[in-house]
Amino acid sequence: MKRELFIALSGFLLFIISPVFGQDQSRDARWEQIKAEKVSFLTTQLALTPAEAEKFWPVYNEMEQKRWDAQKARRELENKVSEAEESLSENEVIKLTRDFAGSMAKEGALMSG
């Protein structure tokens, strides 16, 4: 239950915080500010003690990085298909479809633990 709440709050927080920042900040600075706000918000909402937070955040950050990498790989596959849709052979389409399904399965496995 706590994990589902955590995942839902993470996604919600990203959608709520992102439009708040002005456009004069660089993308990296905004992203760092969002991450800092997320850490603060989740630590408070999950009522993590300092000892719990010390153990929790490295695991969470590792999971987030793996999830980000899986999403990036999926987006690259989507772009590859959309750019070459007309010129792909049937075998290439099958391979890309399998790669895409594999990337979705990998991302799903990360979320289900």
Side-chain angles (χ1 to χ4, degrees):
M1 174 71 180
K2 219 176 191 186
R3 183 170 188 194
E4 289 83 9
L5 174 66
F6 175 73
I7 291 170
L9 289 173
S10 296
F12 180 73
L13 182 66
L14 287 175
F15 287 112
I16 295 299
I17 291 179
S18 58
V20 172
F21 300 103
Q23 292 194 10
D24 58 331
Q25 291 178 309
S26 73
R27 184 175 186 209
D28 291 338
R30 285 192 321 246
W31 186 245
E32 290 304 316
Q33 191 172 3
I34 289 170
K35 289 193 312 190
E37 290 288 331
K38 182 170 82 171
V39 167
S40 175
F41 176 80
L42 292 174
T43 299
T44 302
Q45 292 298 311
L46 295 173
L48 297 176
T49 66
E52 290 171 329
E54 186 177 318
K55 292 177 184 177
F56 171 79
W57 286 109
V59 173
Y60 174 83
N61 290 335
E62 180 181 348
M63 184 207 57
E64 279 291 290
Q65 185 61 51
K66 287 178 181 178
R67 189 176 63 85
W68 180 261
D69 292 343
Q71 288 177 341
K72 182 179 177 189
R74 181 175 40 83
R75 283 189 306 271
E76 288 172 356
L77 283 170
E78 289 171 348
N79 290 338
K80 188 174 184 178
V81 169
S82 67
E83 290 172 359
E85 191 172 349
E86 299 289 324
S87 64
L88 293 176
S89 70
E90 186 174 341
N91 286 339
E92 290 171 319
V93 170
I94 291 169
K95 182 186 180 328
L96 286 173
T97 302
R98 288 181 178 156
D99 291 346
F100 182 79
S103 72
M104 294 295 286
K106 181 179 177 181
E107 190 174 341
L110 289 170
M111 298 309 287
S112 65

PDB file of all heavy atoms in Angstrom, residues 20-50:
ATOM      1  N   VAL A  20       5.089  25.241 -12.362  1.00  0.00           N
ATOM      2  CA  VAL A  20       5.255  26.315 -11.389  1.00  0.00           C
ATOM      3  C   VAL A  20       6.505  27.149 -11.666  1.00  0.00           C
ATOM      4  O   VAL A  20       6.550  28.337 -11.400  1.00  0.00           O
ATOM      5  CB  VAL A  20       5.313  25.725  -9.955  1.00  0.00           C
ATOM      6  CG1 VAL A  20       5.687  26.775  -8.939  1.00  0.00           C
ATOM      7  CG2 VAL A  20       3.983  25.079  -9.615  1.00  0.00           C
ATOM      8  N   PHE A  21       7.501  26.555 -12.246  1.00  0.00           N
ATOM      9  CA  PHE A  21       8.780  27.226 -12.425  1.00  0.00           C
ATOM     10  C   PHE A  21       8.769  28.132 -13.644  1.00  0.00           C
ATOM     11  O   PHE A  21       8.197  27.802 -14.677  1.00  0.00           O
ATOM     12  CB  PHE A  21       9.902  26.193 -12.556  1.00  0.00           C
ATOM     13  CG  PHE A  21      10.002  25.320 -11.352  1.00  0.00           C
ATOM     14  CD1 PHE A  21       9.515  24.036 -11.383  1.00  0.00           C
ATOM     15  CD2 PHE A  21      10.539  25.803 -10.172  1.00  0.00           C
ATOM     16  CE1 PHE A  21       9.577  23.225 -10.272  1.00  0.00           C
ATOM     17  CE2 PHE A  21      10.605  25.008  -9.056  1.00  0.00           C
ATOM     18  CZ  PHE A  21      10.123  23.707  -9.100  1.00  0.00           C
ATOM     19  N   GLY A  22       9.437  29.255 -13.511  1.00  0.00           N
ATOM     20  CA  GLY A  22       9.509  30.217 -14.604  1.00  0.00           C
ATOM     21  C   GLY A  22      10.361  29.709 -15.743  1.00  0.00           C
ATOM     22  O   GLY A  22      11.173  28.826 -15.585  1.00  0.00           O
ATOM     23  N   GLN A  23      10.209  30.316 -16.899  1.00  0.00           N
ATOM     24  CA  GLN A  23      10.949  29.864 -18.059  1.00  0.00           C
ATOM     25  C   GLN A  23      12.354  30.422 -18.112  1.00  0.00           C
ATOM     26  O   GLN A  23      13.141  30.022 -18.947  1.00  0.00           O
ATOM     27  CB  GLN A  23      10.187  30.230 -19.323  1.00  0.00           C
ATOM     28  CG  GLN A  23       8.904  29.449 -19.448  1.00  0.00           C
ATOM     29  CD  GLN A  23       8.325  29.556 -20.836  1.00  0.00           C
ATOM     30  OE1 GLN A  23       8.958  30.055 -21.756  1.00  0.00           O
ATOM     31  NE2 GLN A  23       7.109  29.078 -20.985  1.00  0.00           N
ATOM     32  N   ASP A  24      12.694  31.323 -17.200  1.00  0.00           N
ATOM     33  CA  ASP A  24      14.035  31.886 -17.226  1.00  0.00           C
ATOM     34  C   ASP A  24      15.064  30.931 -16.628  1.00  0.00           C
ATOM     35  O   ASP A  24      16.246  31.092 -16.840  1.00  0.00           O
ATOM     36  CB  ASP A  24      14.075  33.236 -16.509  1.00  0.00           C
ATOM     37  CG  ASP A  24      13.623  33.148 -15.061  1.00  0.00           C
ATOM     38  OD1 ASP A  24      12.805  32.266 -14.744  1.00  0.00           O
ATOM     39  OD2 ASP A  24      14.088  33.970 -14.261  1.00  0.00           O
ATOM     40  N   GLN A  25      14.616  29.922 -15.896  1.00  0.00           N
ATOM     41  CA  GLN A  25      15.546  28.954 -15.344  1.00  0.00           C
ATOM     42  C   GLN A  25      15.928  27.941 -16.427  1.00  0.00           C
ATOM     43  O   GLN A  25      15.131  27.617 -17.294  1.00  0.00           O
ATOM     44  CB  GLN A  25      14.905  28.190 -14.188  1.00  0.00           C
ATOM     45  CG  GLN A  25      14.658  29.032 -12.963  1.00  0.00           C
ATOM     46  CD  GLN A  25      13.984  28.197 -11.884  1.00  0.00           C
ATOM     47  OE1 GLN A  25      12.994  27.548 -12.148  1.00  0.00           O
ATOM     48  NE2 GLN A  25      14.544  28.230 -10.703  1.00  0.00           N
ATOM     49  N   SER A  26      17.137  27.447 -16.321  1.00  0.00           N
ATOM     50  CA  SER A  26      17.542  26.420 -17.271  1.00  0.00           C
ATOM     51  C   SER A  26      16.820  25.119 -16.952  1.00  0.00           C
ATOM     52  O   SER A  26      16.324  24.919 -15.847  1.00  0.00           O
ATOM     53  CB  SER A  26      19.054  26.205 -17.210  1.00  0.00           C
ATOM     54  OG  SER A  26      19.388  25.516 -16.023  1.00  0.00           O
ATOM     55  N   ARG A  27      16.768  24.259 -17.927  1.00  0.00           N
ATOM     56  CA  ARG A  27      16.082  22.974 -17.740  1.00  0.00           C
ATOM     57  C   ARG A  27      16.714  22.170 -16.612  1.00  0.00           C
ATOM     58  O   ARG A  27      16.010  21.585 -15.793  1.00  0.00           O
ATOM     59  CB  ARG A  27      16.139  22.202 -19.054  1.00  0.00           C
ATOM     60  CG  ARG A  27      15.397  20.920 -19.017  1.00  0.00           C
ATOM     61  CD  ARG A  27      15.394  20.282 -20.387  1.00  0.00           C
ATOM     62  NE  ARG A  27      14.542  19.113 -20.355  1.00  0.00           N
ATOM     63  CZ  ARG A  27      14.703  18.063 -21.117  1.00  0.00           C
ATOM     64  NH1 ARG A  27      15.681  18.048 -21.994  1.00  0.00           N
ATOM     65  NH2 ARG A  27      13.905  17.035 -21.037  1.00  0.00           N
ATOM     66  N   ASP A  28      18.039  22.140 -16.557  1.00  0.00           N
ATOM     67  CA  ASP A  28      18.724  21.383 -15.510  1.00  0.00           C
ATOM     68  C   ASP A  28      18.449  21.957 -14.123  1.00  0.00           C
ATOM     69  O   ASP A  28      18.229  21.206 -13.182  1.00  0.00           O
ATOM     70  CB  ASP A  28      20.230  21.356 -15.756  1.00  0.00           C
ATOM     71  CG  ASP A  28      20.593  20.514 -16.979  1.00  0.00           C
ATOM     72  OD1 ASP A  28      19.779  19.648 -17.378  1.00  0.00           O
ATOM     73  OD2 ASP A  28      21.681  20.725 -17.530  1.00  0.00           O
ATOM     74  N   ALA A  29      18.435  23.266 -14.017  1.00  0.00           N
ATOM     75  CA  ALA A  29      18.158  23.898 -12.720  1.00  0.00           C
ATOM     76  C   ALA A  29      16.732  23.603 -12.272  1.00  0.00           C
ATOM     77  O   ALA A  29      16.487  23.312 -11.093  1.00  0.00           O
ATOM     78  CB  ALA A  29      18.386  25.407 -12.804  1.00  0.00           C
ATOM     79  N   ARG A  30      15.798  23.653 -13.212  1.00  0.00           N
ATOM     80  CA  ARG A  30      14.402  23.322 -12.877  1.00  0.00           C
ATOM     81  C   ARG A  30      14.285  21.874 -12.435  1.00  0.00           C
ATOM     82  O   ARG A  30      13.587  21.555 -11.482  1.00  0.00           O
ATOM     83  CB  ARG A  30      13.479  23.575 -14.072  1.00  0.00           C
ATOM     84  CG  ARG A  30      13.202  25.031 -14.325  1.00  0.00           C
ATOM     85  CD  ARG A  30      12.055  25.214 -15.317  1.00  0.00           C
ATOM     86  NE  ARG A  30      12.069  24.239 -16.405  1.00  0.00           N
ATOM     87  CZ  ARG A  30      12.266  24.512 -17.680  1.00  0.00           C
ATOM     88  NH1 ARG A  30      12.455  25.748 -18.068  1.00  0.00           N
ATOM     89  NH2 ARG A  30      12.261  23.566 -18.592  1.00  0.00           N
ATOM     90  N   TRP A  31      14.967  20.986 -13.162  1.00  0.00           N
ATOM     91  CA  TRP A  31      14.901  19.573 -12.834  1.00  0.00           C
ATOM     92  C   TRP A  31      15.478  19.312 -11.439  1.00  0.00           C
ATOM     93  O   TRP A  31      14.906  18.537 -10.663  1.00  0.00           O
ATOM     94  CB  TRP A  31      15.638  18.764 -13.892  1.00  0.00           C
ATOM     95  CG  TRP A  31      15.490  17.294 -13.703  1.00  0.00           C
ATOM     96  CD1 TRP A  31      16.466  16.402 -13.410  1.00  0.00           C
ATOM     97  CD2 TRP A  31      14.281  16.535 -13.785  1.00  0.00           C
ATOM     98  NE1 TRP A  31      15.937  15.143 -13.304  1.00  0.00           N
ATOM     99  CE2 TRP A  31      14.593  15.191 -13.526  1.00  0.00           C
ATOM    100  CE3 TRP A  31      12.959  16.867 -14.045  1.00  0.00           C
ATOM    101  CZ2 TRP A  31      13.637  14.183 -13.520  1.00  0.00           C
ATOM    102  CZ3 TRP A  31      12.011  15.855 -14.038  1.00  0.00           C
ATOM    103  CH2 TRP A  31      12.357  14.537 -13.779  1.00  0.00           C
ATOM    104  N   GLU A  32      16.575  19.944 -11.114  1.00  0.00           N
ATOM    105  CA  GLU A  32      17.178  19.783  -9.782  1.00  0.00           C
ATOM    106  C   GLU A  32      16.242  20.308  -8.700  1.00  0.00           C
ATOM    107  O   GLU A  32      16.112  19.715  -7.630  1.00  0.00           O
ATOM    108  CB  GLU A  32      18.542  20.468  -9.710  1.00  0.00           C
ATOM    109  CG  GLU A  32      19.615  19.777 -10.517  1.00  0.00           C
ATOM    110  CD  GLU A  32      19.813  18.318 -10.145  1.00  0.00           C
ATOM    111  OE1 GLU A  32      19.839  17.992  -8.931  1.00  0.00           O
ATOM    112  OE2 GLU A  32      19.924  17.489 -11.065  1.00  0.00           O
ATOM    113  N   GLN A  33      15.584  21.406  -8.975  1.00  0.00           N
ATOM    114  CA  GLN A  33      14.640  21.976  -8.015  1.00  0.00           C
ATOM    115  C   GLN A  33      13.435  21.044  -7.827  1.00  0.00           C
ATOM    116  O   GLN A  33      12.975  20.835  -6.701  1.00  0.00           O
ATOM    117  CB  GLN A  33      14.181  23.349  -8.483  1.00  0.00           C
ATOM    118  CG  GLN A  33      13.419  24.120  -7.436  1.00  0.00           C
ATOM    119  CD  GLN A  33      13.155  25.553  -7.859  1.00  0.00           C
ATOM    120  OE1 GLN A  33      13.493  25.961  -8.969  1.00  0.00           O
ATOM    121  NE2 GLN A  33      12.547  26.320  -6.985  1.00  0.00           N
ATOM    122  N   ILE A  34      12.960  20.461  -8.901  1.00  0.00           N
ATOM    123  CA  ILE A  34      11.849  19.509  -8.819  1.00  0.00           C
ATOM    124  C   ILE A  34      12.258  18.302  -7.983  1.00  0.00           C
ATOM    125  O   ILE A  34      11.509  17.852  -7.114  1.00  0.00           O
ATOM    126  CB  ILE A  34      11.405  19.061 -10.229  1.00  0.00           C
ATOM    127  CG1 ILE A  34      10.699  20.206 -10.938  1.00  0.00           C
ATOM    128  CG2 ILE A  34      10.499  17.831 -10.158  1.00  0.00           C
ATOM    129  CD1 ILE A  34      10.445  19.943 -12.411  1.00  0.00           C
ATOM    130  N   LYS A  35      13.451  17.778  -8.250  1.00  0.00           N
ATOM    131  CA  LYS A  35      13.904  16.613  -7.493  1.00  0.00           C
ATOM    132  C   LYS A  35      14.031  16.933  -6.008  1.00  0.00           C
ATOM    133  O   LYS A  35      13.647  16.113  -5.166  1.00  0.00           O
ATOM    134  CB  LYS A  35      15.230  16.091  -8.057  1.00  0.00           C
ATOM    135  CG  LYS A  35      15.043  15.434  -9.402  1.00  0.00           C
ATOM    136  CD  LYS A  35      16.224  14.619  -9.900  1.00  0.00           C
ATOM    137  CE  LYS A  35      17.556  15.266  -9.828  1.00  0.00           C
ATOM    138  NZ  LYS A  35      18.618  14.528 -10.527  1.00  0.00           N
ATOM    139  N   ALA A  36      14.533  18.108  -5.673  1.00  0.00           N
ATOM    140  CA  ALA A  36      14.663  18.497  -4.276  1.00  0.00           C
ATOM    141  C   ALA A  36      13.295  18.614  -3.609  1.00  0.00           C
ATOM    142  O   ALA A  36      13.097  18.166  -2.470  1.00  0.00           O
ATOM    143  CB  ALA A  36      15.426  19.817  -4.159  1.00  0.00           C
ATOM    144  N   GLU A  37      12.348  19.203  -4.326  1.00  0.00           N
ATOM    145  CA  GLU A  37      10.987  19.319  -3.795  1.00  0.00           C
ATOM    146  C   GLU A  37      10.357  17.940  -3.616  1.00  0.00           C
ATOM    147  O   GLU A  37       9.635  17.699  -2.651  1.00  0.00           O
ATOM    148  CB  GLU A  37      10.114  20.177  -4.717  1.00  0.00           C
ATOM    149  CG  GLU A  37      10.488  21.635  -4.713  1.00  0.00           C
ATOM    150  CD  GLU A  37      10.111  22.331  -3.419  1.00  0.00           C
ATOM    151  OE1 GLU A  37       9.140  21.918  -2.766  1.00  0.00           O
ATOM    152  OE2 GLU A  37      10.807  23.286  -3.056  1.00  0.00           O
ATOM    153  N   LYS A  38      10.611  17.052  -4.558  1.00  0.00           N
ATOM    154  CA  LYS A  38      10.065  15.699  -4.475  1.00  0.00           C
ATOM    155  C   LYS A  38      10.623  14.970  -3.255  1.00  0.00           C
ATOM    156  O   LYS A  38       9.869  14.325  -2.513  1.00  0.00           O
ATOM    157  CB  LYS A  38      10.385  14.927  -5.752  1.00  0.00           C
ATOM    158  CG  LYS A  38       9.813  13.523  -5.771  1.00  0.00           C
ATOM    159  CD  LYS A  38       9.927  12.880  -7.135  1.00  0.00           C
ATOM    160  CE  LYS A  38      11.274  12.297  -7.360  1.00  0.00           C
ATOM    161  NZ  LYS A  38      11.369  11.478  -8.570  1.00  0.00           N
ATOM    162  N   VAL A  39      11.907  15.086  -3.031  1.00  0.00           N
ATOM    163  CA  VAL A  39      12.524  14.446  -1.861  1.00  0.00           C
ATOM    164  C   VAL A  39      11.888  14.969  -0.583  1.00  0.00           C
ATOM    165  O   VAL A  39      11.503  14.198   0.301  1.00  0.00           O
ATOM    166  CB  VAL A  39      14.056  14.681  -1.850  1.00  0.00           C
ATOM    167  CG1 VAL A  39      14.658  14.298  -0.511  1.00  0.00           C
ATOM    168  CG2 VAL A  39      14.713  13.902  -2.979  1.00  0.00           C
ATOM    169  N   SER A  40      11.751  16.267  -0.493  1.00  0.00           N
ATOM    170  CA  SER A  40      11.149  16.872   0.690  1.00  0.00           C
ATOM    171  C   SER A  40       9.706  16.411   0.873  1.00  0.00           C
ATOM    172  O   SER A  40       9.302  16.007   1.972  1.00  0.00           O
ATOM    173  CB  SER A  40      11.206  18.396   0.569  1.00  0.00           C
ATOM    174  OG  SER A  40      10.523  18.994   1.641  1.00  0.00           O
ATOM    175  N   PHE A  41       8.944  16.474  -0.190  1.00  0.00           N
ATOM    176  CA  PHE A  41       7.534  16.092  -0.132  1.00  0.00           C
ATOM    177  C   PHE A  41       7.370  14.635   0.276  1.00  0.00           C
ATOM    178  O   PHE A  41       6.591  14.307   1.181  1.00  0.00           O
ATOM    179  CB  PHE A  41       6.874  16.343  -1.487  1.00  0.00           C
ATOM    180  CG  PHE A  41       5.443  15.903  -1.566  1.00  0.00           C
ATOM    181  CD1 PHE A  41       4.432  16.696  -1.040  1.00  0.00           C
ATOM    182  CD2 PHE A  41       5.105  14.699  -2.163  1.00  0.00           C
ATOM    183  CE1 PHE A  41       3.108  16.295  -1.112  1.00  0.00           C
ATOM    184  CE2 PHE A  41       3.781  14.290  -2.240  1.00  0.00           C
ATOM    185  CZ  PHE A  41       2.781  15.085  -1.708  1.00  0.00           C
ATOM    186  N   LEU A  42       8.088  13.745  -0.398  1.00  0.00           N
ATOM    187  CA  LEU A  42       7.932  12.324  -0.115  1.00  0.00           C
ATOM    188  C   LEU A  42       8.451  11.948   1.269  1.00  0.00           C
ATOM    189  O   LEU A  42       7.856  11.116   1.952  1.00  0.00           O
ATOM    190  CB  LEU A  42       8.612  11.492  -1.197  1.00  0.00           C
ATOM    191  CG  LEU A  42       7.931  11.565  -2.563  1.00  0.00           C
ATOM    192  CD1 LEU A  42       8.739  10.824  -3.613  1.00  0.00           C
ATOM    193  CD2 LEU A  42       6.523  11.020  -2.491  1.00  0.00           C
ATOM    194  N   THR A  43       9.544  12.551   1.683  1.00  0.00           N
ATOM    195  CA  THR A  43      10.060  12.276   3.022  1.00  0.00           C
ATOM    196  C   THR A  43       9.028  12.657   4.071  1.00  0.00           C
ATOM    197  O   THR A  43       8.778  11.907   5.022  1.00  0.00           O
ATOM    198  CB  THR A  43      11.381  13.038   3.262  1.00  0.00           C
ATOM    199  OG1 THR A  43      12.347  12.594   2.301  1.00  0.00           O
ATOM    200  CG2 THR A  43      11.924  12.782   4.657  1.00  0.00           C
ATOM    201  N   THR A  44       8.381  13.791   3.874  1.00  0.00           N
ATOM    202  CA  THR A  44       7.342  14.243   4.802  1.00  0.00           C
ATOM    203  C   THR A  44       6.119  13.346   4.735  1.00  0.00           C
ATOM    204  O   THR A  44       5.607  12.894   5.762  1.00  0.00           O
ATOM    205  CB  THR A  44       6.939  15.699   4.503  1.00  0.00           C
ATOM    206  OG1 THR A  44       8.102  16.519   4.606  1.00  0.00           O
ATOM    207  CG2 THR A  44       5.883  16.190   5.458  1.00  0.00           C
ATOM    208  N   GLN A  45       5.624  13.075   3.525  1.00  0.00           N
ATOM    209  CA  GLN A  45       4.416  12.278   3.364  1.00  0.00           C
ATOM    210  C   GLN A  45       4.592  10.837   3.839  1.00  0.00           C
ATOM    211  O   GLN A  45       3.648  10.237   4.360  1.00  0.00           O
ATOM    212  CB  GLN A  45       3.950  12.282   1.899  1.00  0.00           C
ATOM    213  CG  GLN A  45       3.452  13.622   1.433  1.00  0.00           C
ATOM    214  CD  GLN A  45       2.244  14.088   2.217  1.00  0.00           C
ATOM    215  OE1 GLN A  45       1.284  13.360   2.397  1.00  0.00           O
ATOM    216  NE2 GLN A  45       2.305  15.308   2.706  1.00  0.00           N
ATOM    217  N   LEU A  46       5.777  10.286   3.649  1.00  0.00           N
ATOM    218  CA  LEU A  46       6.038   8.921   4.095  1.00  0.00           C
ATOM    219  C   LEU A  46       6.490   8.874   5.558  1.00  0.00           C
ATOM    220  O   LEU A  46       6.671   7.796   6.100  1.00  0.00           O
ATOM    221  CB  LEU A  46       7.098   8.266   3.204  1.00  0.00           C
ATOM    222  CG  LEU A  46       6.694   8.064   1.746  1.00  0.00           C
ATOM    223  CD1 LEU A  46       7.875   7.567   0.930  1.00  0.00           C
ATOM    224  CD2 LEU A  46       5.534   7.088   1.646  1.00  0.00           C
ATOM    225  N   ALA A  47       6.655  10.046   6.159  1.00  0.00           N
ATOM    226  CA  ALA A  47       7.086  10.168   7.565  1.00  0.00           C
ATOM    227  C   ALA A  47       8.373   9.379   7.808  1.00  0.00           C
ATOM    228  O   ALA A  47       8.494   8.638   8.783  1.00  0.00           O
ATOM    229  CB  ALA A  47       5.968   9.730   8.512  1.00  0.00           C
ATOM    230  N   LEU A  48       9.343   9.571   6.928  1.00  0.00           N
ATOM    231  CA  LEU A  48      10.611   8.869   7.063  1.00  0.00           C
ATOM    232  C   LEU A  48      11.470   9.504   8.143  1.00  0.00           C
ATOM    233  O   LEU A  48      11.617  10.728   8.186  1.00  0.00           O
ATOM    234  CB  LEU A  48      11.374   8.890   5.737  1.00  0.00           C
ATOM    235  CG  LEU A  48      10.740   8.182   4.545  1.00  0.00           C
ATOM    236  CD1 LEU A  48      11.592   8.399   3.304  1.00  0.00           C
ATOM    237  CD2 LEU A  48      10.546   6.709   4.823  1.00  0.00           C
ATOM    238  N   THR A  49      12.023   8.677   8.987  1.00  0.00           N
ATOM    239  CA  THR A  49      13.003   9.170   9.950  1.00  0.00           C
ATOM    240  C   THR A  49      14.301   9.398   9.189  1.00  0.00           C
ATOM    241  O   THR A  49      14.475   8.884   8.072  1.00  0.00           O
ATOM    242  CB  THR A  49      13.237   8.134  11.065  1.00  0.00           C
ATOM    243  OG1 THR A  49      13.858   6.980  10.481  1.00  0.00           O
ATOM    244  CG2 THR A  49      11.954   7.766  11.782  1.00  0.00           C
ATOM    245  N   PRO A  50      15.241  10.138   9.754  1.00  0.00           N
ATOM    246  CA  PRO A  50      16.526  10.315   9.060  1.00  0.00           C
ATOM    247  C   PRO A  50      17.202   8.983   8.724  1.00  0.00           C
ATOM    248  O   PRO A  50      17.762   8.830   7.640  1.00  0.00           O
ATOM    249  CB  PRO A  50      17.349  11.139  10.042  1.00  0.00           C
ATOM    250  CG  PRO A  50      16.330  11.925  10.806  1.00  0.00           C
ATOM    251  CD  PRO A  50      15.154  10.987  10.947  1.00  0.00           C
TER     252      PRO A  50
END
